[in-house]
Structures are given as structure tokens and as C-alpha cells.
């Protein structure tokens, strides 16, 4: 199983590589584009990595570790990414962004590992709800998020890169029974 590393300026090259790979391979899964982000400077990537490693945000890279059935060239290479940030209007909510797992690692538990890491980070900050946006044609991602307890909350918005698509907002409550009794 790949291991998770926090995104930071120290691993900015791996961060840039996996983010651009994700944008190239699954362009309708993100609000940005490969063309736009491939033009970012090294300084802009460093700034983003630093922003995703602060108190109000987090980013994780999934990195391949040596396994008997893996080719050695894959060892140490990123194979997944996810980030989250506290909602500026309501810090009890966190947005999940940039979630992606390489096709070779899908259905391996890696996506769940990435979301679990975000949930732990969010709970540590008193977050009660995780939110994310997913395009209407990304059926695999929609089913994945449903299996993890996310549900469509009725909010939709136009997809910024293609007027024929739209995005669903999905939400997952992180509240526990004890939280409900305390409020």
C-alpha cells in the first residue's frame, strides 16, 4: 500500500507531477486545467505547496512503496493526491479538493486512505462537515464518495470548463453522537 506524505515545499516536484498527471488524465474531474497549471512557475508551485501545509489547509500525496508485484521504477513515485481547506465563512466546514488516484491504484483502498487522512485532520480542527464538488459525469467518483458516507445535498453549479456539464455538491457529516448531545 502506498504511504501518505503531507504536501510541502520539500516535495513540490512530486506534488507538481501528480497534479499535472491528474489534470491530464481526468480533465473533467477538476475545476482547473492542465493547460493553466502547466504554465505555473516553480515559485507558484512552492507557494501552493506551502499554502496546503498550513493550519487551515492540508494536502497529501500517496507515494508508492516497494512491493513484490511492483516494478522498481514505480517506487517512490506519487500515485494519488487530495487536499482540504477550512471554509472561510464557516470553519466548521472543510472543502475536499484535488482528490485523485491513478488508474493503476483505483479500487485498492488508496482513495479511502486519502479521505480518511482528510477526515482525521478535519476532526482535529473541530470540523463537523466535509464538502466537495464532483462533476455529473464522474459516476465512479460519485459512487466512491457515496460508499464513504457523502451524500448529494441538492446544490449544483455549472462546471467552469465545459458549459454542458455541472457539478454536484456532496457533504459528509463528521458529527458523532457525543457532539449532538453537547450542542
Amino acid at each position: 500500500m502506498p504511504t501518505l506524505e503531507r504536501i510541502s515545499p520539500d516535495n513540490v516536484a512530486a506534488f507538481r507531477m501528480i497534479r499535472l498527471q491528474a489534470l491530464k488524465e481526468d480533465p473533467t474531474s477538476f475545476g482547473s486545467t492542465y493547460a493553466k497549471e502547466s504554465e505555473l512557475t516553480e515559485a507558484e508551485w512552492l507557494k501552493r505547496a506551502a499554502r496546503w501545509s498550513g493550519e487551515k489547509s492540508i494536502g497529501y500525496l500517496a507515494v508508492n512503496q516497494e512491493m513484490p508485484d511492483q516494478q522498481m521504477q514505480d517506487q517512490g513515485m506519487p500515485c494519488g493526491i487530495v487536499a482540504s481547506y477550512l471554509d472561510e465563512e464557516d470553519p466548521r466546514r472543510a472543502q475536499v479538493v484535488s482528490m485523485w488516484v491513478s488508474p493503476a491504484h483505483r479500487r485498492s483502498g488508496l482513495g479511502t486512505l486519502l479521505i480518511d487522512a482528510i477526515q482525521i485532520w478535519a476532526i482535529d480542527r473541530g470540523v463537523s462537515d466535509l464538502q466537495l464538488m464532483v462533476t455529473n459525469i464522474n459516476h465512479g467518483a460519485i459512487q466512491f464518495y457515496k460508499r464513504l458516507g457523502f451524500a448529494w445535498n441538492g446544490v449544483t453549479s455549472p462546471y467552469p470548463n465545459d458549459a454542458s456539464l455541472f457539478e454536484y455538491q456532496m457533504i459528509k457529516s463528521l458529527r458523532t453522537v457525543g457532539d449532538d448531545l453537547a450542542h
Side-chain angles (χ1 to χ4, degrees):
M1 174 67 77
T3 60
L4 300 188
E5 295 179 9
R6 284 186 72 158
I7 293 172
S8 74
D10 294 337
N11 59 14
V12 71
F15 168 41
R16 180 181 187 274
M17 184 181 79
I18 196 69
R19 174 68 176 166
L20 292 177
Q21 180 183 354
L23 289 164
K24 195 175 212 178
E25 290 188 23
D26 290 304
T28 59
S29 295
F30 305 97
S32 189
T33 66
Y34 176 84
K36 178 181 173 185
E37 292 195 23
S38 65
E39 296 294 320
L40 294 177
T41 66
E42 183 71 16
E44 290 168 319
W45 282 104
L46 284 166
K47 184 177 178 181
R48 181 184 280 184
R51 191 175 62 239
W52 281 10
S53 62
E55 181 61 25
K56 295 184 179 184
S57 60
I58 187 99
Y60 290 103
L61 297 177
V63 179
N64 275 324
Q65 299 304 312
E66 184 177 356
M67 298 179 67
D69 60 341
Q70 264 186 333
Q71 295 181 5
M72 288 297 290
Q73 67 199 34
D74 290 341
Q75 185 177 352
M77 298 299 294
C79 56
I81 186 172
V82 69
S84 185
Y85 60 90
L86 298 179
D87 189 299
E88 289 184 20
E89 294 175 16
D90 183 354
R92 294 172 298 160
R93 283 192 312 235
Q95 307 298 321
V96 177
V97 296
S98 298
M99 174 66 186
W100 187 78
V101 172
S102 69
H105 289 85
R106 290 182 186 160
R107 298 195 177 275
S108 70
L110 180 55
T112 301
L113 182 68
L114 287 163
I115 293 295
D116 285 350
I118 293 296
Q119 287 181 170
I120 291 167
W121 172 84
I123 289 167
D124 285 348
R125 279 151 187 77
V127 169
S128 58
D129 295 309
L130 287 179
Q131 295 179 322
L132 58 84
M133 299 299 287
V134 60
T135 52
N136 63 301
I137 62 168
N138 197 342
H139 303 292
I142 292 168
Q143 292 306 311
F144 166 73
Y145 293 128
K146 283 181 177 180
R147 282 192 304 274
L148 294 180
F150 286 86
W152 181 43
N153 67 355
V155 175
T156 61
S157 64
Y159 177 63
N161 303 322
D162 184 338
S164 69
L165 303 177
F166 60 92
E167 295 179 303
Y168 295 120
Q169 185 178 69
M170 297 182 81
I171 191 166
K172 178 178 182 178
S173 175
L174 300 179
R175 293 184 191 116
T176 63
V177 173
D179 290 338
D180 293 337
L181 296 175
H183 296 284

